[in-house]
Amino acid sequence: MRSLAAQQDAAFDVLFVDDASSDDTAGLAERALAASLPGRHRVVRSPEQRGKARHAFELLRGATGYTWIAVVDGDDALIDPDALHAIARAYQDGFDVVWTDFETDTGVADGNGPLDPFDSPRRQGWASSHLFSFRQLLIQRVPDSYFKDESGAWLDCACDMAIAYPVLDQTRRYLFLPRAAYRYTTTNPLSHHAGHGGLSSPRQRERAEWVRSQAPLPCWRPVHEHRPSMDHGLGVKLHQMHVSTAQCFARLDALERQVAQMPFRQLALERLVQREHIPLAWLVQLGGWALDVGMLNHLADTLDGYRQPRVLEFGSGRGSRVLGKLVAARGGTLTSVEHDADWAASTAAAIRAHALGDHARVVHCPLVEASCFGHTTRFYDMGFLSPDERFDVVVVDGPPEATGLFARLPALPAIAGHLSLQGFHLYLDDFDREQEQMIARWWLEMAPELRAESLVFDKMVCELTPRT
């Protein structure tokens, strides 16, 4: 409320909703708003907890005297005193949906960005969270079913998406303001991000996928009838073309770096042999489908950051015994998952032959049907994991591409509940392939609280870690 009162040159009213709090929250809000924004506020005291989705549907649809609405959570703050004034100017220019960038209360700059107005917003990444605003007339046209789950109950999480997507469906007159105007509180213990190792809660992810799967509302305010939106959209398109071109050059750069890194590969080889006591014969056999020397050297550094690291590997192979030895040297454990029974038996025999059985195990997991982001593929049957098992490091090097389209897409949803709550590293191998790049993009849509970095060894690898 203090941050709202600090907004400059902006005419706005505040609707404060107290969702049946058990203390004097409503009274505190009433007194604070009366002092800072007299005559420009309304406090609604809900007699029962109804949740953000229901309140948004019932209260915002009825706010017919207002041109546009912005949604602010009670534990967050506006950090740009000119934010609402800038948003108001955008609506005067004819835009229908306007949002800004944001940062978290831990100081992490987050990843909002523009949407392509020539494509459906549901086919693009989640890039319009905070500070999100929209014309009031758009929410008037949203049926209540878009704020409810499959059983007809009001959504209790993923409410920001439930508000945004049916609004975005109806128009393509978007504007993204690239300014960090909003501070999002991730350390609130009641947040859906709390207690899940930096990821959203499983229920939050499940509800988000449900919201995203709903049929889009018809678009009745197209981009071509509004010149500023066309100009903005063409700018987005030009940026996308620039990014595509840049990706091509990035691949050339990656090849150049591989050549330039050949001396470093030799250093990695020496480090693994001399310091980690990996037999040279093991490393000479690597390549192809196996984890390469540079990647294993990087993993050794990652494992050093964890006490008795717990590692999960999807797709066993020649690199598994090397990884097992690295893990064993640090007192940790390796679980290597393999769908092919013969390959699993071969890897398990190699683990036993080199006395790594106390620290490494190979689990034969047949592939079962799995659905994610509207794609049905086959992934490992993870039923062998107990509910309380956690992993610090996950290496996704399977299933093989030949087992199905986007074969590795279910990996993150499958193990999200088993990731360490204190932080983790997840590696997606074969990142030079287009499918793996699309998988990483979808994972970041599902879990925007992750950050991704491309690593170049003999092959490219995508490293994902929590932003917080």
Side-chain angles (χ1 to χ4, degrees):
M1 289 184 289
R2 286 193 294 269
S3 71
L4 288 171
Q7 288 295 299
Q8 301 173 358
D9 300 323
F12 62 91
D13 292 344
V14 174
L15 172 63
F16 184 96
V17 181
D18 177 69
D19 199 23
S21 61
S22 58
D23 55 16
D24 189 36
T25 295
L28 176 65
E30 184 71 63
R31 293 188 293 273
L33 289 169
S36 59
L37 296 167
R40 297 168 54 191
H41 67 277
R42 174 189 171 201
V43 175
V44 173
R45 301 172 186 249
S46 179
E48 59 183 358
Q49 286 193 344
R50 296 178 177 176
K52 186 174 183 178
R54 182 176 176 183
H55 283 303
F57 176 77
E58 295 180 346
L59 296 174
L60 300 186
R61 281 167 55 97
T64 54
Y66 297 93
T67 302
W68 58 275
I69 296 169
V71 181
V72 182
D73 288 342
D75 61 345
D76 298 335
L78 302 184
I79 55 176
D80 181 348
D82 191 47
L84 296 186
H85 180 59
I87 290 173
R89 288 200 305 267
Y91 286 105
Q92 291 171 3
D93 291 339
F95 289 96
D96 287 340
V97 182
V98 185
W99 64 94
T100 70
D101 214 341
F102 68 99
E103 64 181 38
T104 71
D105 58 328
T106 59
V108 176
D110 232 279
N112 275 357
L115 289 175
D116 181 353
F118 303 102
D119 195 6
S120 167
R122 293 178 186 267
R123 289 199 292 263
Q124 303 180 60
W126 177 238
S128 57
S129 51
H130 308 293
L131 171 68
F132 185 76
S133 69
F134 49 89
R135 286 193 183 274
Q136 195 278 337
L137 57 86
L138 296 174
I139 201 167
Q140 282 184 289
R141 293 170 170 254
V142 181
D144 62 355
S145 59
Y146 283 78
F147 296 89
K148 296 179 178 180
D149 63 19
E150 59 268 40
S151 70
W154 294 98
L155 288 167
D156 59 356
C157 54
C159 298
D160 289 334
M161 286 186 171
I163 294 170
Y165 275 121
V167 165
L168 290 165
D169 288 338
Q170 301 177 62
T171 182
R172 296 296 182 266
R173 302 175 189 181
Y174 309 145
L175 180 64
F176 168 63
L177 298 176
R179 54 202 297 170
Y182 192 94
R183 180 174 294 121
Y184 178 53
T185 301
T186 59
T187 56
N188 186 335
L190 298 181
S191 167
H192 289 291
H193 302 284
H196 299 281
L199 285 172
S200 298
S201 68
R203 181 163 180 78
Q204 172 90 343
R205 295 193 299 271
E206 175 192 344
R207 294 298 83 193
E209 190 163 349
W210 163 257
V211 168
R212 203 189 285 271
S213 69
Q214 300 310 293
L217 291 175
C219 176
W220 59 282
R221 292 174 70 82
V223 65
H224 65 269
E225 295 179 359
H226 181 236
R227 180 59 183 270
S229 295
M230 278 289 290
D231 292 344
H232 181 67
L234 291 173
V236 173
K237 279 293 189 186
L238 288 172
H239 176 72
Q240 290 175 341
M241 292 173 62
H242 173 75
V243 170
S244 298
T245 304
Q247 288 174 342
C248 293
F249 281 108
R251 293 194 177 190
L252 291 174
D253 289 342
L255 292 174
E256 290 180 3
R257 285 198 299 270
Q258 286 182 14
V259 174
Q261 286 179 357
M262 290 182 68
F264 297 101
R265 188 181 189 280
Q266 181 64 30
L267 291 175
L269 192 68
E270 292 177 4
R271 180 257 181 104
L272 291 172
V273 171
Q274 297 175 9
R275 178 177 148 188
E276 303 291 347
H277 307 294
I278 305 297
L280 179 61
W282 293 9
L283 300 175
V284 171
Q285 296 170 7
L286 297 180
W289 290 335
L291 298 175
D292 63 65
V293 168
M295 174 61 177
L296 287 165
N297 183 61
H298 182 84
L299 280 172
D301 290 332
T302 299
L303 296 175
D304 284 339
Y306 295 95
R307 184 175 178 272
Q308 295 180 326
R310 300 159 296 181
V311 181
L312 176 64
E313 178 190 35
F314 289 120
S316 70
R318 292 187 296 270
S320 299
R321 58 183 177 179
V322 180
L323 185 55
K325 193 167 179 64
L326 294 175
V327 170
R330 292 156 176 81
T333 56
L334 168 66
T335 299
S336 184
V337 175
E338 176 57 50
H339 77 285
D340 184 282
D342 293 337
W343 198 254
S346 174
T347 305
I351 293 291
R352 291 192 301 271
H354 297 284
L356 297 173
D358 290 342
H359 294 274
R361 61 170 176 162
V362 180
V363 182
H364 173 229
C365 293
L367 300 181
V368 296
E369 186 174 289
S371 296
C372 187
F373 275 90
H375 293 276
T376 299
T377 185
R378 295 194 303 152
F379 194 72
Y380 304 103
D381 182 355
M382 302 301 292
F384 73 93
L385 288 178
S386 63
D388 58 345
E389 282 191 80
R390 294 287 184 271
F391 296 98
D392 306 300
V393 178
V394 178
V395 179
V396 183
D397 196 20
E401 184 179 27
T403 62
L405 190 64
F406 302 116
R408 300 174 184 180
L409 180 59
L412 180 58
I415 50 89
H418 297 280
L419 294 170
S420 170
L421 303 182
Q422 284 70 50
F424 56 87
H425 284 72
L426 188 151
Y427 294 96
L428 177 61
D429 199 17
D430 301 304
F431 194 55
D432 44 351
R433 300 193 307 216
E434 186 176 357
Q435 282 192 34
E436 270 63 27
Q437 293 172 14
M438 293 181 67
I439 287 170
R441 287 199 295 270
W442 282 326
W443 284 354
L444 293 174
E445 291 177 19
M446 180 183 72
E449 56 272 30
L450 295 180
R451 68 169 75 247
E453 181 179 356
S454 297
L455 306 177
V456 179
F457 306 110
D458 288 352
K459 298 183 291 183
M460 290 182 67
V461 177
C462 181
E463 179 185 71
L464 294 104
T465 55
R467 289 181 180 272
T468 54

